[in-house]
Amino acid sequence: MTMNKALRLTACLALALQAGAPAALACEPEAMNEQLAELCRVPLEELSTMLSAVKQPPEATAALRSRLEDARNACRDGEFEVGALSFVRLARDIGRLEARTLAALGPAISPVGSAR
């Protein structure tokens, strides 16, 4: 998943969470909470996939995995804003980790669109 896609997911999640409060008044609260939990959880699973693809030793990603689990717990416990904010921060930090991985490869990787 690219960072651009991650940012789009973040925007969608934020909009859904903002729209959720007024919509919850018109719906069954329990069903609405289940839907919001799902909206909170799915982007975190995408981050898990991204994190698995990062070519770093497990100890380098342990803190991120712990934060990802905390975010999942927040979504499960109904703390949707915490889950969404965690998503944004984790997406940023995973992107930075990916960038360091690419930088370590050195000149073998050329920027998109550059002529060699």
Side-chain angles (χ1 to χ4, degrees), residues 44 47 67 70-71 74 81-91:
L44 292 172
L47 286 183
R67 289 174 43 208
D70 290 344
E81 292 90 2
V82 172
L85 183 57
S86 295
F87 171 83
V88 172
R89 290 178 176 160
L90 280 163

Side-chain angles (χ1 to χ4, degrees), residues 14-27 32 36 39:
L15 289 173
L17 290 174
Q18 287 179 347
L25 297 175
C27 297
M32 182 54 96
L36 288 172
L39 286 171

Side-chain angles (χ1 to χ4, degrees), residues 84-105:
L85 183 57
S86 295
F87 171 83
V88 172
R89 290 178 176 160
L90 280 163
R92 177 195 62 202
D93 293 343
I94 291 170
R96 287 178 177 166
L97 188 60
E98 285 178 320
R100 282 195 299 252
T101 301
L102 290 175
L105 294 174

Side-chain angles (χ1 to χ4, degrees), residues 51 61-73 90:
L51 188 55
T61 60
L64 291 173
R65 290 190 189 287
S66 176
R67 289 174 43 208
L68 184 58
E69 189 58 34
D70 290 344
R72 285 180 180 136
N73 291 338
L90 280 163

Side-chain angles (χ1 to χ4, degrees), residues 23-57:
L25 297 175
C27 297
E28 183 179 325
E30 196 170 304
M32 182 54 96
N33 280 338
E34 287 176 22
Q35 291 297 316
L36 288 172
E38 183 72 9
L39 286 171
C40 188
R41 185 191 61 76
V42 169
L44 292 172
E45 295 310 315
E46 291 292 330
L47 286 183
S48 179
T49 302
M50 284 177 58
L51 188 55
S52 296
V54 173
K55 304 297 182 205
Q56 290 284 331

